[in-house]
């Protein structure tokens, strides 16, 4: 009697497993890229809305102060200048100042104090956020207004204004700039591809 033995294949070969792993890895990279793009677009849209809101508040400040705007150079500390003006908190105690025992109404009422810059509150797009940090110039901790990426918004007096030393300010707008350094936090004069006078990833107020 002759037996016909037929070998039955079961399972996957090592090569097939490696191919599947490679495909899954590529799909993961693509999905992460898409997710990052969508998240960054959402944060950019939030930043644009916040900048527009801050601009409106700054215009209200100017109208109430005979057209005078506070000095601002666009550095990290300028975020505190903007906060102090819009929240009317000159002593940086986190509360609006008082005049004749009456609390001064802030020009911007949507500030929320947070302690953690990684807080989900930022990603969820609360209109404007303030946090007390020690700025890079080494001064004491002061409140700053944070963008959706957790970095300070910047304020810069426009080029038609003059500072206290009679020197013209620098900016893209004739009166003032309010801007975020964007998701890459590189700012003007820097980009991944080299020098760039106006980093396109910045979120700024335009006239």
């Amino acid at each position: 009697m002759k037996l016909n033995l037929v070998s039955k294949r079961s399972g996957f070969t090592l090569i097939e497993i490696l191919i599947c792993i490679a495909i899954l890895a590529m799909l993961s990279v693509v999905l992460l890229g898409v997710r990052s793009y969508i998240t960054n677009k959402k944060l950019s849209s939030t930043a644009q809305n916040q900048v527009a809101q801050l601009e409106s508040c700054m215009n209200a400040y100017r109208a109430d102060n005979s057209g005078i705007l506070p000095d601002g150079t666009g550095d990290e500390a300028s975020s505190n200048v903007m906060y102090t003006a819009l929240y009317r908190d000159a002593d940086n105690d986190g509360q609006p100042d008082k005049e004749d025992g009456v609390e001064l109404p802030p020009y911007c009422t949507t500030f929320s104090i947070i302690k953690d810059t990684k807080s989900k509150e930022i990603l969820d797009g609360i209109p404007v956020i303030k946090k007390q940090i020690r700025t890079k110039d080494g001064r004491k901790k002061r409140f700053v207004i944070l963008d959706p990426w957790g970095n300070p918004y910047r304020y810069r007096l426009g080029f038609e204004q003059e500072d206290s030393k009679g020197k013209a300010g620098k900016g893209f707008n004739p009166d003032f700039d309010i801007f975020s350094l964007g998701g890459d936090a590189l700012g003007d004069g820097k980009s991944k591809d080299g020098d760039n006078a106006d980093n396109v990833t910045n979120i700024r107020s335009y006239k």
Side-chain angles (χ1 to χ4, degrees):
M1 184 175 177
K2 188 176 181 182
L3 296 177
N4 221 2
L5 298 178
V6 179
S7 64
K8 293 185 178 180
R9 181 182 174 189
S10 61
F12 298 96
T13 66
L14 179 60
I15 293 177
E16 289 172 332
I17 293 174
L18 291 175
I19 291 174
C20 288
I21 292 174
I23 292 173
L24 289 174
M26 286 188 291
L27 287 174
S28 297
V29 170
V30 171
L31 289 175
L32 285 173
V34 171
R35 182 181 178 183
S36 176
Y37 173 79
I38 293 174
T39 299
N40 198 57
K41 287 287 287 183
K42 177 184 176 183
L43 297 181
S44 295
S45 178
T46 298
Q48 289 170 354
N49 291 334
Q50 291 180 351
V51 166
Q53 183 178 9
L54 290 170
E55 180 184 10
S56 177
C57 294
M58 188 61 76
N59 282 326
Y61 170 92
R62 175 171 55 182
D64 205 25
N65 288 272
S66 304
I68 303 298
L69 291 166
D71 289 336
T73 60
D75 59 4
E76 189 179 56
S78 68
S79 189
N80 176 255
V81 172
M82 185 165 55
Y83 160 77
T84 300
L86 298 185
Y87 201 59
R88 304 179 84 164
D89 180 19
D91 56 5
N92 273 266
D93 65 352
Q95 300 295 328
D97 297 329
K98 293 183 178 180
E99 189 174 276
D100 298 327
V102 179
E103 192 174 88
L104 298 172
Y107 292 101
C108 191
T109 59
T110 56
F111 290 115
S112 299
I113 298 178
I114 64 169
K115 296 180 180 179
D116 181 13
T117 58
K118 301 298 183 182
S119 170
K120 192 172 183 297
E121 290 179 274
I122 297 177
L123 298 180
D124 285 346
I126 288 180
V128 180
I129 299 164
K130 63 181 180 181
K131 181 182 183 296
Q132 198 172 38
I133 67 170
R134 189 180 302 279
T135 52
K136 293 178 181 178
D137 59 10
R139 298 182 185 179
K140 66 179 183 178
K141 287 186 176 181
R142 292 166 294 179
F143 282 106
V144 296
I145 306 172
L146 300 180
D147 66 17
W149 295 274
N151 300 312
Y153 276 113
R154 311 299 181 97
Y155 164 75
R156 180 168 51 200
L157 192 63
F159 56 80
E160 289 186 353
Q161 300 284 339
E162 290 185 345
D163 60 21
S164 58
K165 298 180 181 178
K167 187 176 181 180
K170 295 180 180 179
F172 289 88
N173 299 322
D175 44 8
F176 63 88
D177 294 299
I178 296 174
F179 61 99
S180 159
L181 298 186
D184 60 9
L186 291 176
D188 292 340
K190 300 177 184 178
S191 74
K192 294 178 181 178
D193 301 320
D195 290 340
N196 182 5
D198 179 16
N199 191 342
V200 294
T201 60
N202 287 357
I203 309 295
R204 68 172 75 252
S205 57
Y206 284 104
K207 292 295 181 187

